[in-house]
Amino acid sequence: MNYDLSVNRHRYQVDAPASYSLLDVLREVLALVGTKYNCEQGECGACTVLLNGRAVNSCLVLAATAVGKEITTIEGAAESPFGPELMEAFTDRDAAQCGYCTPGMVMSGLSLLRDNPTPSRDEIRRAIGGNYCRCTGYFSIITAFEQASVKGGLK
Amino acid sequence: MTMLGTGTARSGGGPQTARVRGRQLFADDLEEPAGTLHGALVRIDRPHTRLRGIDTSAALRLAGVERVITAADFGPDGPPRFGAVVRDQPVLADEVTRYPGEPVALVLADTRRHAIAAARLVEVAAEDLPACYDAQSALSADPIHAGVPAYPFPGSDPGRSNVLGEWRFDWGDVEDAASAASLILRNRYTVPLAHHFAIETYCTIAEPMGPGVRITDTVQHPFVEQRVVAEVLGVPLSQVHIRALGLGGSFGGKGYPKLAPLAALVCRLIARPVKIALTGEESFHTGQREGCEVDIETGFTTDGTILFQRIDASFLVGAYADVSSRVVAKSGLHACGPYRTPAAQITSRAVLTTTPPTTAFRGFGATHLAFAVEGQMDEAAHALGISPVALRLKNIKTAGEQTALGDTPVDGDWPEVLRRTDSKLGAAAPLPDGHGRGVAMGMKSCAPATTSLANVKLNHDGSVSAAVGTTEMGQGAVITFGSLVSGLLAVPVENVDVTMSDTVATPFDAITASSRSLVHMGNALMQACESVRQQLQELAAELTGIAADRLRVQDGHVIDLDGGSLSYADLLARTFGPGQGQLVGHGRFTSPMDDQHPLGGPAPFYEAVGTGVELSVDSETGQITLHRVVHVTDAGKVLNLPRATGLDDGGVVMALGLATSEQLVYGRNGLRNGSTLDYRIPSAADIPEDLTDIFLENEDGPGPFGSKGLGEGGILAIAPAISEAVFQCTGVRIRDLPITAEAVWMGLHKQIRDVNAS
């Protein structure tokens, strides 16, 4: 199947089987390997990307249904609202240990902060409730989100 | 001399920037070598079978499928066997399968999707043999390794029993002690099989290279894998190149070889690169933690002093040895934990079961035994009317005291760890209604008799390239080692590059495990940097005529006490000519070996921790809410505080999952809950309301600046602390992990039924 996808404000021409998920297309067809995978069934959040600014599990999105929508991946996070702040906060707060869940976490963060620039700790926990991390115990990630939010700041 | 280079506190630059931008490459992100075939394993989901036939015809008809490798492809001797400790595991099952998920064939296709789809079409005919999932059934069942040569472990007799090995550690006179005891508690504690659940799955890429192979793998120990693959191929080590990129988590699950031996053999067989990338579900069959059934008998005096321990621990290790023999033997030696134990009889037994081979897992068996020992302490405290903390303080060893069978004496202030945990938990403050508190200790020894080598190169522009065999898996080795070199050689941290985990590019490192790297590789790096520094000083002395002992390094310069200075770049230019040369330093650290010692050498150090919890229980649902957790680590010296805190945060939360929700459930049809939905690891919704990590820094460790290793401690003590706190809230004592809401509820309702019946 042939179609165009807009990823990180760039137009890509895709030729892929109709059954390919957005995750499949990103990694295998477009070689955008920043988006990760584990469960491939919408549980772990490693594959989180933004579809029209909202976080989705790309493993559950049929790629062809993303035509006409704006897809944002970790490769485009630096150009997204709150992107630079969140990435800097992750570095400041040591919120990436092995780094594997980090792309998904950052994307969930961008989705949250876009809708809610001053989230409470509970709102942050809910927003990343679908992003598994096995390394950090989530504390440093939550603190990084707080720093990146409008009321945040290096404490 | 500054201890560390600038940048640690901010952990910024370099690898961290790459991580947050998604630019860090993991094994499955790499572009495949030209001609790569993707492999997908065909697995049997029944526990124990005799294979009758494999029909690959439907799979071979699928588009893109090249070939299906089975046992028949390995000639009359069948699939070779591999293993880091003993070579008992076949690369593919041949005749008999011994665990649900054991690979019986490898489908090779042009894409991963095609390979996985084709693997589902391979038909395997097999007849069921008896399964065994627990110690009782395994010990009474027919051996699953009938006819195999004996394992080289005490107590092993694979032709006759499913005991992989049985290790005894005895001292003192337990009979005598038992007759003197006022209180003897006899209990059984159980800990289930568990899954590491690193978010990155397993991925192995093997390319034929001369008579050998070049492999990129998600592996913690590239040098162990080099040896194992060389053995399987029958080639010298020099013909096996193994490298690991940074791992997306491991926790022991990716330590010892899993897919590499098969991938190595197959890529040579077909003369093309092979890539095998597992799904999340397949990872459940590939990395598991031992379960354990502990029968423990502890004797106390009336004032709570421990007189003896009788510990019989059956570890359920799965169908092949992997490194579980080591887990069982090593943890058995220190089964009594951090407490004075005048007499002990310890049997630590590895029992083969028809489940996947278990391997190393953060804590290396100490967690299982701590759950039992700490539970005994809590129950004794209640029976004797002493507080659980006071009882522990009465028995806990102090620095310099002897440990089990003359292993390294206590190397830290363990009573202070306990006191600090208790006081930070706020033991002095009144307990809110409906809350319970628990405090427990954990202790494990670092693996003995291992070697780390390090190379450091000072480039002619003054930048530094270091090479260490340690594998980065989130523990912060890259950052911490970079910082260490930066400080020692007085070079900005941005100008230090650290190459890691590559048998070609980095010198030998035994393993990245056991919390050993900061001590072993850190010391090797210090020695390598010292060598470079000496060379700098000597060259400067030659050039200037100033005595070397009047020179030192500072800010990328060699300076003398009168204020003269020469930059490294100038120094090298004058020594080697402009734009040329390099100073190379080498370091080595080997912890002592002793073949009279039951583990091959004394413990280089101990990791000792205390964990305290305050929680409440919803009596309608049994659900636990953790209000506060305190975790104290005897660290010696912390070189990277944000990361050390992060490691303890993560270890505690992982342990929380293991204590309250994680267990692998096996039944007649194999693994019942091998998926992300059904095997419940903690999410951000499950973490305690408050977690405080504290580090004791008495500079009493053998590593750089008095450091010890850390990173495993978080896993050791929260389960018994939770068990005690639940007891305080509810009167229900739970000795089987996980302490699920269901288990608490059942306990509460059993109480109600018992009360009603009486």
Side-chain angles (χ1 to χ4, degrees), chain B residues 365-399:
Chain B
T367 315
H368 307 61
L369 296 164
F371 184 57
V373 167
E374 296 295 314
Q376 296 290 83
M377 299 298 273
D378 288 320
E379 187 174 332
H382 288 280
L384 296 170
I386 304 169
S387 91
V389 172
L391 184 83
R392 285 173 170 82
L393 275 172
K394 187 175 286 292
N395 291 285
I396 195 156
K397 294 182 192 170
T398 59

Side-chain angles (χ1 to χ4, degrees), chain B residues 382 388 425-427 429-439 612-618 624-629 720-731:
Chain B
H382 288 280
L425 189 61
L431 196 54
D433 253 359
H435 284 209
R437 285 193 186 121
V439 170
V613 307
E614 185 176 311
L615 55 82
S616 56
V617 173
D618 181 333
I624 293 166
T625 301
L626 275 177
H627 301 291
R628 303 188 46 239
V629 179
I722 288 174
S723 181
E724 168 62 16
V726 166
F727 174 76
Q728 287 192 9
C729 285
T730 64

Side-chain angles (χ1 to χ4, degrees), chain B residues 223-244:
Chain B
F223 288 89
V224 172
E225 184 148 290
Q226 182 190 40
R227 171 175 61 82
V228 169
V229 169
E231 281 168 6
V232 161
L233 295 183
V235 299
L237 291 173
S238 50
Q239 294 303 326
V240 176
H241 295 185
I242 310 278
R243 71 160 176 170

Side-chain angles (χ1 to χ4, degrees), chain B residues 161-174:
Chain B
S161 86
N162 285 317
V163 172
L164 175 77
E166 188 171 285
W167 290 265
R168 292 281 310 255
F169 304 102
D170 298 332
W171 65 87
D173 188 333
V174 167

Side-chain angles (χ1 to χ4, degrees), chain B residues 76-90:
Chain B
D77 291 334
R81 292 178 183 247
F82 72 95
V85 180
V86 59
R87 292 179 61 178
D88 66 336
Q89 189 171 358

Side-chain angles (χ1 to χ4, degrees), chain B residues 94-117:
Chain B
D94 182 20
E95 294 180 356
V96 175
T97 70
R98 297 184 174 86
Y99 64 91
E102 181 160 14
V104 302
L106 179 71
V107 174
L108 297 167
D110 58 346
T111 69
R112 181 175 180 248
R113 286 177 132 238
H114 286 158
I116 289 174

Side-chain angles (χ1 to χ4, degrees), chain A residues 112-126:
Chain A
L112 169 70
L113 292 171
R114 189 188 106 123
D115 288 341
N116 180 358
T118 56
S120 65
R121 270 183 96 81
D122 270 349
E123 284 166 331
I124 292 169
R125 281 163 33 144
R126 244 195 314 277

